[in-house]
Amino acid sequence: MLSDPRAGAPVTKRGNRFVTGGCLTILTVLILLLGVTVSWLWYSSSHNRQTTRENEEKALTSILSQADRTADASGRALQTSGTTRADVLTGLIWKHTEAPVIRYDVAHGGFTALVEKAVEYETVGFYGARTARMVRCLAFTYTPGHGGTWTSQVTVKGSDTCRASNEIRNVAREARTRLARMSGEALTAGGIQQELDPAGRPDLLTVHGVTREGRTVSVSATISSWDGTVNQCYRLTRPISGSKAENSTIAAPAASC
């Protein structure tokens, strides 16, 4: 008996329609998933950028707010000091600002302190948050007025303005560490000269004098930037003996050498 070749056709057509419908369903689901994923990525990226911008703004606000408070506090310190001695006033400015470069205007009696300040904040990305640093170069200016008054102001400068200041700060830190680690027996004029002003780099730090007052030794030196365009007088002091010499050693800008 012969079979009808068309007998299986309806089943085959139903199978094809099932496969086609399944593929369309899968394709639709994949398109929806892709759309959801793209939307989520776009939202996350936008949210991360917004969060990072907000953190940057908060960091900048923190630096500027702290700078304003420092300018006010240091200005009041100058005003209440009751002195016109440049070395004392320089020390007060350094105490409040920690500026490695403090320029004294002999003609007008004013001061300009250059220092770089930084604050940490978080940047947010697809792989989580990471810590970044907001850095600003600040210039504190102090102008004397009548009756012992002082006007203080702080402005933000370009990063290049603080380049020499940073170099001098690094040399001063190294000199402070060298002086602190010296033995009491080596704290002679020649020994200090050799330790702080070694051969091969006489252009960065030049020792002018060493004095001993009681149980303290004081070093007067000029510290220069790498290109020699900025020079700053420094006074380095430490106790002659004692186990805490490293904590007690100070390297601070001075009005003159």
Side-chain angles (χ1 to χ4, degrees):
M1 183 175 77
L2 297 177
S3 62
D4 187 351
R6 294 175 298 175
V11 176
T12 303
K13 290 180 179 180
R14 284 197 300 270
N16 290 338
R17 286 197 300 269
F18 176 79
V19 173
T20 302
C23 290
L24 289 175
T25 301
I26 294 174
L27 183 60
T28 302
V29 171
L30 290 176
I31 292 174
L32 289 174
L33 289 176
L34 179 61
V36 170
T37 302
V38 171
S39 298
W40 178 83
L41 290 174
W42 178 87
Y43 171 79
S44 297
S45 178
S46 177
H47 177 73
N48 292 342
R49 287 196 301 269
Q50 179 65 26
T51 301
T52 298
R53 282 195 297 267
E54 291 175 355
N55 291 344
E56 288 177 345
E57 291 173 359
K58 290 178 182 178
L60 180 58
T61 298
S62 176
I63 290 178
L64 298 182
S65 297
Q66 180 62 39
D68 287 337
R69 291 193 294 269
T70 298
D72 292 340
S74 52
R76 287 194 300 270
L78 296 183
Q79 193 156 310
T80 59
S81 65
T83 183
T84 58
R85 292 177 53 188
D87 56 343
V88 175
L89 298 176
T90 299
L92 288 173
I93 294 172
W94 176 76
K95 180 180 179 180
H96 285 83
T97 65
E98 298 183 341
V101 171
I102 302 176
R103 298 167 179 164
Y104 173 54
D105 186 348
V106 178
H108 302 93
F111 296 86
T112 300
L114 292 174
V115 60
E116 193 174 74
K117 295 293 185 180
V119 65
E120 294 185 347
Y121 67 98
E122 283 191 343
T123 61
V124 184
F126 289 119
Y127 300 103
R130 66 180 181 85
T131 302
R133 294 177 78 245
M134 169 81 65
V135 180
R136 288 295 182 271
C137 176
L138 304 175
F140 294 88
T141 56
Y142 305 90
T143 306
H146 298 290
T149 60
W150 285 87
T151 301
S152 59
Q153 185 179 7
V154 58
T155 55
V156 179
K157 299 292 186 179
S159 58
D160 289 344
T161 304
C162 280
R163 177 188 52 78
S165 175
N166 292 336
E167 293 173 356
I168 289 176
R169 176 200 59 200
N170 294 336
V171 175
R173 285 178 176 175
E174 181 181 353
R176 175 193 173 281
T177 300
R178 286 174 176 268
L179 181 64
R181 292 177 179 176
M182 292 182 66
S183 63
E185 295 77 11
L187 292 175
T188 63
I192 293 175
Q193 176 84 25
Q194 178 63 31
E195 183 66 24
L196 301 187
D197 191 7
R201 282 188 11 174
D203 54 326
L204 295 182
L205 189 150
T206 302
V207 175
H208 299 294
V210 178
T211 58
R212 298 167 70 101
E213 298 180 0
R215 301 180 62 82
T216 303
V217 62
S218 177
V219 182
S220 176
T222 295
I223 298 180
S224 304
S225 60
W226 284 88
D227 58 7
T229 57
V230 178
N231 301 310
Q232 175 67 52
C233 292
Y234 262 78
R235 194 83 62 204
L236 296 90
T237 58
R238 62 152 284 179
I240 295 176
S241 60
S243 58
K244 297 183 179 180
E246 189 163 354
N247 296 330
S248 304
T249 303
I250 298 173
S256 62
C257 296

